[in-house]
Amino acid sequence: MIVLKNARLIDGTGAAPVSGATIVLHDNKIDTVTTHGEADFPADAEIVNCAGMTVLPGLIDCHDHMANHRYDLAHRWGIDEPESTRHLRTAAVLRQTLEAGYTMIRDAGGLDAGFKRAIDEGLAVGPRLLVSISIVSPIGGIGDRMSPSGDCCCVPGDPLLPSAVVETLADIRPVVRRMVRAGADFIKCATTGGASSRPGHGPLDGAFNLDEMQALVEEAHALDRRVMCHALGGRGLDIAIEAGVDSIEHGCYLDEDPRHLDQMAARGIVFVPTLLVYEYHRKSPQPHVRARAHDLYEHHVQAIKKALAAGVKIVAGTDAGGHGHPANAGELECLVKAGMTPMQAIQAGTAWAAECCGREAELGTVEKGKLADLVVVNGDPLADIALLRDPGNIRLVLKNGAAVSRAASVRHNIAL
């Protein structure tokens, strides 16, 4: 049994914070949440005094790329270092992310299902993982590794990340099935280009047709997989929403057509804006990437404000990876700067994120019976959301009722 006492509790539901809270963990679940003060606990209970600290649900990033570490072409092609080095680098990032308070990550492409298995079996340390394997896209889309001429440059792909390039409508269903066979928990697809896409395939340039997207969504849902869709604007954004995807990733130009947010609210489609990655793109050495990121900025902020007004759930996702895996909680600070309250930003990274992942029955809030994924933070994130991105403020992380790092607990003078 672990007892967190004297805590300021932000439970993820949006309720006002509670002072003097006691949270009792038994095995891997939350047993009791109370403010009744001192109580008799078994002699072997581990008591953690959280005075001056805040307890939050384990944080969730709904759009990351844990196996991507740079944007340069050699890295994208997997020829800049041995695969063993790349895998160990990824393992280090997974541990670092968990120690920063993120107990679940939804990976948006590039991470094979073996990492999920390794963490589940105790071979590696990291967050709970939900993987999408590869990005399903048509020829020329963001998931197509080929050069513009179609030359593969003789570099074989990772067999654990099967090709997700669709050539015809008839390919759609088999490709979705291949992703599921390879271990995909979600189907990731793309109906537009992006800020970092090649010249000529930008945020407003389309990819899939409506009939292709409808087939993809239908097949994914038939296999009990949700669809997360990279869609920034233009016709591709319209197609993604019309086809009934489960979440719009990026959605930078959602401010331009009121129909889009109305349809998303009516259908329960989640908005994952990934603001943090565009901070990186606005400093890109590539002029076309830098220009796109600056052009979409104000649209993106307005999209968030209009989404809130329309009742669309906004969920935190960093789209980290290529820009060096910055602190995931930087996204929460970006959301606040874009107009969300600190409480809404915390919900975007906890309860709403758990709903997006289909794990709301187990995670996302501090409530009796839920899995004991918790973060103990020095200070009050409602007063300063930025403190969550400083590793020095993360005093204790519990995943499944177990402390992630006892060494870290001792270092921060927390008895456990």
Side-chain angles (χ1 to χ4, degrees):
M1 177 183 288
I2 297 175
V3 180
L4 307 180
K5 68 176 187 178
N6 301 324
R8 179 192 301 107
L9 173 63
I10 299 174
D11 66 9
T13 66
V18 175
S19 298
T22 297
I23 303 102
V24 180
L25 314 180
H26 189 265
D27 294 330
N28 68 333
K29 292 188 176 181
I30 299 169
D31 183 72
T32 308
V33 181
T34 182
T35 57
H36 289 166
E38 294 299 325
D40 292 327
F41 298 109
D44 61 350
E46 296 181 280
I47 310 295
V48 181
N49 187 358
C50 297
M53 292 178 271
T54 302
V55 174
L56 301 163
L59 298 169
I60 301 169
D61 188 329
C62 281
H63 188 126
D64 208 331
H65 294 277
M66 303 303 288
N68 295 353
H69 307 292
R70 288 181 291 282
Y71 272 111
D72 59 277
L73 189 60
H75 187 73
R76 290 191 178 196
W77 278 82
I79 57 176
D80 61 330
E81 61 185 355
E83 279 297 298
S84 53
T85 304
R86 180 190 285 249
H87 291 328
L88 289 170
R89 192 182 308 283
T90 299
V93 169
L94 288 165
R95 175 187 281 273
Q96 168 191 314
T97 302
L98 178 59
E99 291 178 347
Y102 276 78
T103 60
M104 186 161 68
I105 299 289
R106 185 175 69 156
D107 194 85
L111 188 74
D112 73 68
F115 284 98
K116 179 179 178 180
R117 179 173 176 178
I119 290 171
D120 289 346
E121 293 185 9
L123 300 174
V125 176
R128 303 172 189 278
L129 293 176
L130 298 170
V131 298
S132 61
I133 307 296
S134 301
I135 303 173
V136 181
S137 62
I139 294 172
I142 66 169
D144 188 353
R145 298 176 73 245
M146 297 290 184
S147 67
S149 68
D151 183 7
C152 70
C153 301
C154 302
V155 179
D158 184 341
L160 298 178
L161 301 171
S163 173
V165 177
V166 171
E167 296 189 12
T168 69
L169 176 60
D171 295 331
I172 294 279
R173 295 178 191 276
V175 164
V176 170
R177 292 170 190 160
R178 278 197 288 273
M179 295 304 107
V180 173
R181 182 178 64 188
D185 301 296
F186 279 74
I187 300 301
K188 167 72 180 296
C189 61
T191 57
T192 73
S196 64
S197 298
R198 67 184 186 278
H201 188 54
L204 301 175
D205 295 313
F208 280 121
N209 293 322
L210 179 58
D211 56 350
E212 293 170 325
M213 277 302 298
Q214 287 173 330
L216 185 151
V217 171
E218 182 180 279
E219 190 64 22
H221 288 174
L223 297 173
D224 297 319
R225 300 302 192 276
R226 297 185 184 188
V227 177
M228 53 188 302
C229 184
H230 165 115
L232 277 69
R235 179 172 168 272
L237 180 58
D238 192 68
I239 285 172
I241 295 169
E242 178 64 26
V245 302
D246 298 285
S247 64
I248 293 293
E249 313 293 312
H250 316 302
C252 307
Y253 291 94
L254 276 170
D255 67 313
E256 291 196 322
D257 188 339
R259 290 182 310 116
H260 289 156
L261 289 170
D262 288 343
Q263 288 176 336
M264 288 175 67
R267 299 179 182 187
I269 299 174
V270 174
F271 179 22
V272 189
T274 69
L275 293 165
L276 190 63
V277 71
Y278 296 103
E279 286 193 350
Y280 174 85
H281 288 328
R282 286 193 290 275
K283 301 172 186 174
S284 173
Q286 299 183 72
H288 77 283
V289 174
R290 197 165 59 247
R292 288 169 175 174
H294 280 286
D295 288 346
L296 63 79
Y297 174 72
E298 190 55 40
H299 287 282
H300 213 175
V301 171
Q302 290 302 314
I304 288 170
K305 291 177 178 178
K306 290 182 178 182
L308 285 171
V312 173
K313 277 214 171 115
I314 295 174
V315 166
T318 58
D319 198 15
H323 55 300
H325 297 286
N328 298 68
E331 182 69 15
L332 306 185
E333 185 178 6
C334 288
L335 291 171
V336 171
K337 289 179 180 177
M340 295 179 74
T341 67
M343 183 65 84
Q344 287 172 326
I346 288 171
Q347 287 180 278
T350 56
W352 297 345
E355 288 180 37
C356 177
C357 294
R359 301 295 297 275
E360 66 273 18
E362 305 168 291
L363 299 165
T365 58
V366 182
E367 297 178 272
K368 178 180 175 62
K370 291 205 171 181
L371 293 174
D373 281 19
L374 300 168
V375 186
V376 181
V377 181
N378 188 42
D380 181 5
L382 292 178
D384 181 12
I385 196 73
L387 65 82
L388 289 171
R389 70 189 301 175
D390 181 353
N393 291 321
I394 307 302
R395 308 299 290 271
L396 178 65
V397 180
L398 294 144
K399 176 192 168 191
N400 225 28
V404 168
S405 172
R406 288 177 182 268
S409 301
V410 172
R411 191 164 60 246
H412 294 305
N413 300 314
I414 292 180
L416 187 67

